[in-house]
Amino acid sequence: MRTILLVVATIFAVASNGAASAKVAEQKLTIRGRVIFPSGSHIPIESDGILKVELQDTSIADAPAKVIAQGFGKAIRFPMAFAIKYSPSKIVDGLTYSLSITIRNKNNELLYTNDAHIGVNPIGLGRTTFIDAPVVLVKKTAPVERKHQWPELIGLDGDEAVRIIKEETGFTNVKTIVEGSPVTMDYRTDRVRIFVDKKGIVTSIPTIG
């Protein structure tokens, strides 16, 4: 009797380990893309905008879509990149899959969404790996006031200040300068100079110019 129990336990352990190994071995796939706004490709979003992109099973007409995976991000300006990771085991060959895109503000008001079907092929030959996904304006937002100065960054590490300003403005010409260094006197609306001390700490208010 003890021998039989031992054999059964061994078979169960092997089966369990095999299932666990298969689960670990399954690698997630990724669909990447850009959310674009064809009617105005670079208009700003409300500062608290949240982007949500869903991979959905939309095979059954007139029925709620089945959400396979979701991706979230901060919505700043168009175009904006996204990436959705999903398990291939959740995909059934022959069914119809598409993307659903929404951008909402902190009050959960819908600002942008896709008004057309965005079909994707999530598995197999011809799998969708990158796609441009257009959206339309649903709710007109209040104009976003453009910042010209960042007094809150004084005392912060200069490299971190560069990252924050680039993210908020989309500028590429944002750099740290050791205080006292010679600089040109021209004025530019797409540049921010961040003056730092010898330890790399911001010492004065970063300003566009």
Side-chain angles (χ1 to χ4, degrees):
M1 182 67 178
R2 181 178 299 176
T3 302
I4 294 175
L5 291 175
L6 180 60
V7 170
V8 171
T10 302
I11 293 174
F12 179 78
V14 170
S16 298
N17 289 337
S21 298
K23 188 174 181 180
V24 171
E26 183 185 39
Q27 295 184 344
K28 288 193 174 183
L29 301 176
T30 304
I31 294 178
R32 302 181 188 278
R34 299 183 310 164
V35 176
I36 60 175
F37 184 53
S39 299
S41 60
H42 295 288
I43 69 171
I45 311 298
E46 288 189 10
S47 59
D48 56 3
I50 298 297
L51 167 68
K52 179 172 75 172
V53 182
E54 292 184 340
L55 172 62
Q56 299 180 342
D57 174 355
T58 50
S59 301
I60 304 177
D62 301 322
K66 178 182 178 181
V67 177
I68 305 300
Q70 295 178 325
F72 295 88
K74 186 175 181 181
I76 300 176
R77 61 178 50 79
F78 296 107
M80 59 191 74
F82 68 86
I84 304 179
K85 291 191 174 184
Y86 58 96
S87 299
S89 61
K90 294 184 177 181
I91 305 300
V92 178
D93 190 29
L95 297 187
T96 301
Y97 296 90
S98 60
L99 298 182
S100 172
I101 300 169
T102 58
I103 298 175
R104 296 178 180 271
N105 61 17
K106 65 180 180 181
N107 297 321
N108 203 35
E109 296 173 315
L110 182 62
L111 306 179
Y112 300 86
T113 188
N114 57 297
D115 66 342
H117 178 76
I118 305 175
V120 294
N121 178 14
I123 201 168
L125 295 176
R127 180 174 73 86
T128 304
T129 57
F130 187 91
I131 189 170
D132 276 345
V135 294
V136 296
L137 179 64
V138 175
K139 178 180 182 298
K140 190 172 182 179
T141 64
V144 177
E145 183 179 353
R146 183 177 177 183
K147 291 179 67 173
H148 293 271
Q149 296 184 329
W150 289 263
E152 70 275 13
L153 300 184
I154 292 180
L156 198 66
D157 178 77
D159 291 338
E160 179 65 9
V162 168
R163 184 193 67 78
I164 291 172
I165 293 176
K166 281 186 174 181
E167 181 178 297
E168 291 186 1
T169 63
F171 293 171
T172 57
N173 192 1
V174 182
K175 59 183 67 176
T176 58
I177 298 175
V178 177
E179 55 185 355
S181 300
V183 296
T184 59
M185 300 303 295
D186 60 315
Y187 181 86
R188 291 183 55 174
T189 59
D190 62 346
R191 177 180 64 194
V192 180
R193 290 166 170 163
I194 304 174
F195 291 94
V196 298
D197 59 19
K198 293 181 180 180
K199 295 182 179 180
I201 303 301
V202 180
T203 57
S204 58
I205 299 175
T207 304
I208 293 176

